[in-house]
Amino acid sequence: MEKRVHKLTFYHPVVEKIAACFEKAYLVGGFVRDRLLRVPKESVDIDITTPDDLSKVKNCVSRALNLSSFTFEKEKTVVTFIGNDFRIDISNLYGKTVKEDLLKRDFTINAIAVDISELFLPFNDDVLLIDPFGGFEDLQKGLIRPVAATSITDDPVRIVRGVRLKVLLDFEYHSSFLEQSKANSEKLEESAVERIKEELIKILKTGRSAEAFRDLDYLDAFVRIFPELSDLEKIPPSGLHQYNLKEHTFRTVEFLENYCFEKKEEILLEFSEEIGEEELKLVALYHDVGKPLTVKEKDGKLTFYNHDKVGAEIAKKAFIRLGLGKRAVNLGFKVIRHHLRPFFLYNLFKKEQLSNRAIYRFFRDTQAYSFHTLFHSVADWMATSTEMEKGVDEFIDFIHFLLRFYRERLKDLKPLLSGREIMEIKGFDKPNRCVGVIKKKMLELQAIGRIKTIYDAINFVRGYSCENPDKGGLDCNS
């Protein structure tokens, strides 16, 4: 039975501009799917497949859009044009016919085609959906179903893509997807990391990453992508922790997505703009990766001494392996290395033992990632137990206390003396390590209120000895 829909469903002014460049061409993939689902998008990806000569098509489209193109290989040659609010990928058909092409695609909902020429015929209002595998019905049912029995075997990365589409579209898995995915999950270990990373980044942007991670775990794909996390479930509940480590980890990502990002401004106040979302979700996933390697039993209780240090190194290597950028690697290392410190500070605060020095050194050591560390700590706190989840408001109040310290003492903090002035006071002929040490110590004493004026700073520098730092013009250890 023919399936026809109104041609305006697929209208786009860019498609109209380039339609004459083809003798025969089809809209396919996500563009067709999203238009049928009426998914609103500020920027669209338009996939076109054609039997025409690609070089001729490329030259024609370039003239029509007044844009240059670039070409890359992705299973086949793809010519790409990028405009302000669109991206066009043009490639040749898989096989000789459009049906053969659709058979090679991943899921039925992506295996629907529309003949571009039909969109601009003057005498018809609708167009035929070329849908040999029932993709339109699966769109209506909300199903992720592989096109063929070998779809996942042919490309195991489709496991990750299927999970992404499921959480993105709020669909369900067809039984054939579950069966094929479980049978082929091990092959993800041999798949190109760059392609897996591309799908992961898209998952992290959905707002349902935790659900996706749980699904990948159910499909036995999670540890194939994140082998460093393979031992999480071996750590049982202990101490304050109500859940085993894997459950705690997933819940941390969930609270980050469903609570923290929803209340970002309430948690971090005016500093909320410092926080991005995607990378911090991966940090949450890896924040306790060091625990399985540091676990010991003492007096009937489990301990994880230095798991923050060990975990930071593991996460750094994992983020590099996944091809994440330098900023993500640095963020992951810093937050995981210091993720326990907000809790240590809070315990001191509760005991009325928290010093200004301890607060200063937290911000000093976490550097550009202090707000990220505090933000992550809220999700980590809530994921520990239902009791701590209920008491999160008190913990957030404490974070506001730390932010007030930063706002009042650190935000605009500058050294009262320059490096050159320190050199002159100390009689140094050229810069050396001691100048940096003095400057760092002077900043700390300014932050905690021990140095308030230039006169105080000069006296401090005169009395400070890098060889014997415990003896100086001020009591530097107070």
Side-chain angles (χ1 to χ4, degrees), residues 164-177:
R164 171 174 67 83
L165 289 173
K166 182 256 193 180
V167 298
L168 176 68
L169 302 173
D170 198 21
F171 277 21
E172 298 294 333
Y173 302 120
H174 188 271
S175 59
S176 60
F177 174 79

Side-chain angles (χ1 to χ4, degrees), residues 192-381:
V193 172
E194 183 61 32
R195 293 186 59 225
I196 293 174
K197 170 195 154 186
E198 183 180 343
E199 295 296 338
L200 278 178
I201 296 301
K202 291 177 180 178
I203 284 175
L204 294 171
K205 291 179 179 179
T206 63
R208 296 172 67 179
S209 305
E211 179 183 340
F213 293 147
R214 288 186 185 276
D215 286 2
L216 288 169
D217 188 44
Y218 176 76
L219 297 170
D220 194 31
F222 182 78
V223 295
R224 314 297 181 183
I225 301 169
F226 308 110
E228 302 86 358
L229 304 178
S230 59
D231 290 334
L232 291 185
E233 62 187 345
K234 294 181 181 178
I235 305 300
S238 62
L240 296 174
H241 283 267
Q242 180 179 341
Y243 314 101
N244 70 46
L245 187 56
K246 179 186 280 188
E247 179 62 19
H248 168 72
T249 297
F250 287 153
R251 288 174 69 86
T252 302
V253 180
E254 284 171 346
F255 280 119
L256 195 65
E257 286 189 315
N258 302 328
Y259 182 88
C260 294
F261 285 123
E262 293 292 325
K263 296 178 175 289
K264 187 164 69 169
E265 290 77 14
E266 295 177 35
I267 295 171
L268 289 181
L269 307 176
E270 72 266 33
F271 306 109
S272 62
E273 294 180 1
E274 304 287 334
I275 302 297
E277 295 194 11
E278 291 83 15
E279 296 155 343
L280 205 52
K281 295 176 189 179
L282 278 181
V283 173
L285 198 64
Y286 272 85
H287 78 280
D288 275 341
V289 65
K291 279 190 171 181
L293 292 177
T294 57
V295 60
K296 291 183 179 179
E297 187 173 345
K298 183 178 181 181
D299 299 328
K301 296 181 180 180
L302 298 183
T303 64
F304 307 96
Y305 296 126
N306 291 321
H307 82 269
D308 46 346
K309 297 178 184 178
V310 172
E313 294 293 342
I314 296 172
K316 181 178 180 179
K317 293 176 182 176
F319 284 20
I320 292 172
R321 175 184 62 79
L322 288 168
L324 303 179
K326 183 177 179 180
R327 182 185 180 282
V329 172
N330 291 338
L331 169 66
F333 181 84
K334 280 287 185 183
V335 174
I336 293 172
R337 174 65 183 84
H338 299 289
H339 78 276
L340 295 177
R341 289 181 70 174
F343 306 133
F344 295 155
L345 295 178
Y346 181 68
N347 286 334
L348 290 172
F349 177 77
K350 295 284 286 185
K351 297 175 183 176
E352 298 184 352
Q353 296 175 357
L354 181 60
S355 67
N356 289 339
R357 184 185 302 277
I359 300 174
Y360 170 79
R361 289 184 175 178
F362 165 76
F363 283 104
R364 180 197 69 189
D365 295 344
T366 50
Q367 298 174 337
Y369 306 109
S370 54
F371 305 123
H372 302 78
T373 307
L374 293 173
F375 194 68
H376 168 271
S377 71
V378 177
D380 193 4
W381 172 284

Side-chain angles (χ1 to χ4, degrees), residues 5-6 16 32 38 82 94 120 124 138 166 176 189 242 288 312 322 345 389 392 400 413 422 424:
V5 298
H6 200 284
E16 184 175 18
V32 175
R38 292 181 171 83
I82 298 179
Y94 289 105
F120 306 105
N124 67 321
D138 284 343
K166 182 256 193 180
S176 60
E189 296 174 3
Q242 180 179 341
D288 275 341
L322 288 168
L345 295 178
E389 178 186 346
V392 71
H400 291 168
L413 180 66
I422 293 172
E424 291 176 358

Side-chain angles (χ1 to χ4, degrees), residues 26 85 97 155 160 229 231 279 294 357-358 369 402 429 452:
Y26 304 91
D85 59 355
T97 67
D155 183 4
V160 191
L229 304 178
D231 290 334
E279 296 155 343
T294 57
R357 184 185 302 277
Y369 306 109
L402 297 180
D429 295 330
K452 298 179 180 180

